[in-house]
Amino acid sequence: MNPEEFRAFGHRLIDWIADYRAGVGERPVMSTVEPGSIRAQLPSSPPARAESMDAVLSDVEKILVPGLSHWQHPRFFGYFPSNGELSSVLGDYLSTGLGVLGLSWQSSPALTEVEEVTTDWLRQMVGLSDKWSGVIQDTASTSSLVALICARERASGYSLVKGGIQAVPAPLVVYVSAHAHSSVDKAALLAGFGRDHVRTVPVDAAYALRPDALAEAIRHDIASGRKPCAVVATTGTTATTAVDPIGPIAGIAREHGLWVHVDAAMAGSAMILPECRALWEGIEGADSIVLNPHKWLGAAFDCSVYYVRDAEHLVRVMSTNPSYLRSGVDERVKNLRDWGIPLGRRFRALKLWFLIREQGVEGLQRRLRRDIANAQWLKSAIESTPGWRVLAPVPLQTLCVRHEPRGLAGEALDLYTQAWADALNRSGEAYLTPATLEGRWMVRVSIGALLTEREHVEGLWSAMQRAAAGAQ
Amino acid sequence: MNPEEFRAFGHRLIDWIADYRAGVGERPVMSTVEPGSIRAQLPSSPPARAESMDAVLSDVEKILVPGLSHWQHPRFFGYFPSNGELSSVLGDYLSTGLGVLGLSWQSSPALTEVEEVTTDWLRQMVGLSDKWSGVIQDTASTSSLVALICARERASGYSLVKGGIQAVPAPLVVYVSAHAHSSVDKAALLAGFGRDHVRTVPVDAAYALRPDALAEAIRHDIASGRKPCAVVATTGTTATTAVDPIGPIAGIAREHGLWVHVDAAMAGSAMILPECRALWEGIEGADSIVLNPHKWLGAAFDCSVYYVRDAEHLVRVMSTNPSYLRSGVDERVKNLRDWGIPLGRRFRALKLWFLIREQGVEGLQRRLRRDIANAQWLKSAIESTPGWRVLAPVPLQTLCVRHEPRGLAGEALDLYTQAWADALNRSGEAYLTPATLEGRWMVRVSIGALLTEREHVEGLWSAMQRAAAGAQ
């Protein structure tokens, strides 16, 4: 495709996206297509000859869009928000259009330096000290894997350049909350610790990790000849946005030399609000943090920022230095390939840089405060309605909700909860995530899509009540 | 940013990219800015108030662009090509603009199904049997890490759900060629094998892994009580595009139960040409393959396709299943979060789908054949010029070159080689990658940028001769 064709189709695509975003609220939120139905409409073999872009764009409209659940919809309350603010989208467009890569600083200096500047802006925005250095990874899953590998290497005296974790004298142990994200558990298994060496620490009534239980688990492992290696604390768990007490956890960790990784993938965005920072009090005692601007904050996916206190350690674990990647300035620059797993890196910082500049810190703060206020409004509405319960504290913008009609309990209540949530999702009116809490199904309402105003939350609440009534 | 502002600035950005691509050949290829000079031009703190997009776009032009090395430039001959074909760029724009995520099939059915279809198209294009299933990862570094973790888990009987690799009875060993990519070595270390358990197998005169040396190394490890686990073969190594003999390697691996991972990150694209497929003869005997359409083929970065024969094994190693990610159709669909490390996934397939449709298989084949012919032309030109040598076979589009003036050898020759390559790169006329081969510096010329025609290769050859003469 030459630049003039790109210009023509690019303008059409921009208009299409502008129209899509302007009208997304009119679409059913969740796709209800059957498994295999999209695939069945596409040719099973690639085209030998070039096709027209008209044909491609027409298939997008006719075949693909009905197969999408619309994450940018104002009544999307599922999972956590994944906001692609349109200014950030443009930043990503610039990155893809330029098509430059950061294999090393030298291979595109601005790519590295804008990433340094932008992750440092974000550091200041969330109130971290200048002891922290940031780098953009794809997702929190990867950031947490990097963190646990770094923990493994610190605890084992850099086993990777010797016999590996297969040759450690005493097995290394990782501690996670029973409410930690599934990716943390996955990271520990991929890093080679093994399920037998991942301790699930119990939580308190507010679903936060219990420091006393952590201390006890550590003592037990030490007494049994194992070596405590890392603890993962969460600021804003996935099920309920519970906040683990980082200060006390870091205190215990320090005593025994454990690495403290903080998963603030979701709630880290809220730290741009000074009034929320008490939620991660003690954060300066951590070794690494992951914070996803591609969630609530609005950076186009994927943009997960990983902060470390000891960047030299990270580089020592991750670095490679083949001749074809060396340059004369290596001693004076950051080579971000040594800050994570992939060698090739997009110019990802642009989408964060565009976002922060176009919105300003105050603009971002205003939007997050709107969402927190909407969550508090919904909490009050639910709590004042008989039969409805909010099941966990609401420190931010996610509510765990159940409707408990008289006489329904146990599995019957589970079936009822799943039925009304499913009916609501299938109606296309709104999108919620059913999940379990203490072994029972409930419904998560995660407020914070870009377009979600009070009226949409009010509409959701009506729709929830209708769906629940309909499922009885 | 509202949709109308997006429309206005989006059109401006499309025009900017169209102009950039049309005029990129007029720019110096490599940036020569000093370390820290981009950072110094940017505010050290984030803006409190929203800034205008005019200010942002003006900074892009004035501050960022001078700090870029232009990978899409017709005289970019560095590393390997990283082609962002403009049709593929539009596919990525659609993905970012839609802002949908694939946490599960249900969370956006089309995202998963287009990925299934498109990776299957590519499978057919490169002549693999239908025993292979594909998934898009970010980079080959990640794909190779996934491969070695899968190998580790097969060899250890799923140690990850037990004591992990720290509890294996005999240490697991990985075999790689001395010319394997640095990311393979890094993957083995991150997966926990440890340097002591990564064997570097010697290569033959064409820089291909020697099966006899592999067999010998395996025998030695078995005799010493260690357990051979995986071998990584490369189709198209980074230094010279050497091709390891996959058939014989797979034969030895089968005998001892090793996992065979094939790194065809670069040369995999060439397999769309039937005349090139002899280069990976025996490929059906492998367990996993990585192939990067974001290199020569033209998919916008990042798009690394990972193929496996035993998808069930991959899912068993990578899967997580928390309640908030479950859906009623899980038994009937692919949940691609279980096919790799990250949970969140972009709609990456769009950029590959747009590329293949807009170019057609024949269009892609024509371009790759053009590049191979250009490489053969340059090889002949160099070989017929006194003092110049092509140092390795040229099976594809990359040449390893040295100018060896009479009387220059050893370190003096190294300094001379680095001097003329550096002078050429700094001139902005073309971009080459200096690297070492058998301990001596040489210059890699990797042909295959989208815009590179014969005239640019001719221009490069003149510039090389001028630079070499100037450095004497």
Side-chain angles (χ1 to χ4, degrees), chain A residues 63 120 138 157 206-207 213 217 235 249 255 262 364 375 397 429 465:
Chain A
I63 303 175
D120 198 64
D138 60 352
Y207 307 108
T235 305
I249 291 169
E255 212 176 303
V262 174
L364 294 167
Q397 44 57 270
E429 277 191 272
Q465 293 175 91

Side-chain angles (χ1 to χ4, degrees), chain A residues 1 36 85 113 186 301 346, chain B residues 1 36 85 113 301 340 346:
Chain A
M1 176 177 280
E85 223 283 337
E113 298 200 5
K186 180 169 173 172
F301 189 90
R346 284 167 67 87
Chain B
M1 177 179 277
E85 224 283 336
E113 298 201 6
F301 189 90
R346 283 168 66 87

Side-chain angles (χ1 to χ4, degrees), chain A residues 71 79, chain B residues 101-105 107-108 325 335-337 343-345:
Chain A
W71 288 65
Y79 309 107
Chain B
L101 280 199
L103 303 188
S104 61
W105 177 89
S107 78
S108 259
L325 293 175
N335 283 315
L336 293 178
R337 67 171 183 271
L343 165 59
R345 313 183 86 248

Side-chain angles (χ1 to χ4, degrees), chain A residues 29 73-77 374 377-378 381-382 388 420 424 427-432 445 447 451-468:
Chain A
V29 193
H73 196 293
R75 288 189 308 280
F76 183 91
F77 300 99
N374 283 340
W377 176 87
L378 182 60
I382 292 174
W388 288 84
W420 74 254
L424 179 50
S427 76
E429 277 191 272
Y431 190 65
L432 303 166
V445 179
I447 294 170
L451 299 176
T452 304
E453 300 291 346
R454 176 68 54 87
E455 57 174 306
H456 302 106
V457 181
E458 289 169 357
L460 166 73
W461 175 222
S462 304
M464 286 166 69
Q465 293 175 91
R466 280 198 309 276

Side-chain angles (χ1 to χ4, degrees), chain A residues 111 114-115 118 136 346-354:
Chain A
L111 187 155
V114 176
E115 187 160 332
T118 312
I136 302 178
R346 284 167 67 87
F347 201 156
R348 276 208 191 99
L350 286 175
K351 52 190 168 189
L352 189 53
W353 194 61
F354 272 51

Side-chain angles (χ1 to χ4, degrees), chain B residues 175 216-228 256 258:
Chain B
Y175 304 82
E216 175 55 31
I218 289 174
R219 271 194 300 273
H220 181 259
D221 278 318
I222 292 173
S224 310
R226 291 180 286 264
K227 185 173 168 116
H256 300 285
L258 276 76

Side-chain angles (χ1 to χ4, degrees), chain A residues 271-320:
Chain A
M271 301 307 143
I272 67 168
L273 304 177
E275 66 268 29
C276 285
R277 289 195 196 138
L279 295 177
W280 72 0
E281 204 178 329
I283 189 69
E284 293 289 327
D287 294 282
S288 57
I289 307 169
V290 57
L291 183 170
N292 285 359
H294 68 221
K295 288 192 166 73
W296 196 9
L297 201 67
F301 189 90
D302 43 5
C303 183
S304 172
V305 181
Y306 180 65
Y307 286 104
V308 287
R309 286 182 82 90
D310 186 350
E312 208 177 296
H313 173 71
L314 174 62
V315 169
R316 192 164 161 191
V317 172
M318 294 282 155
S319 73
T320 56

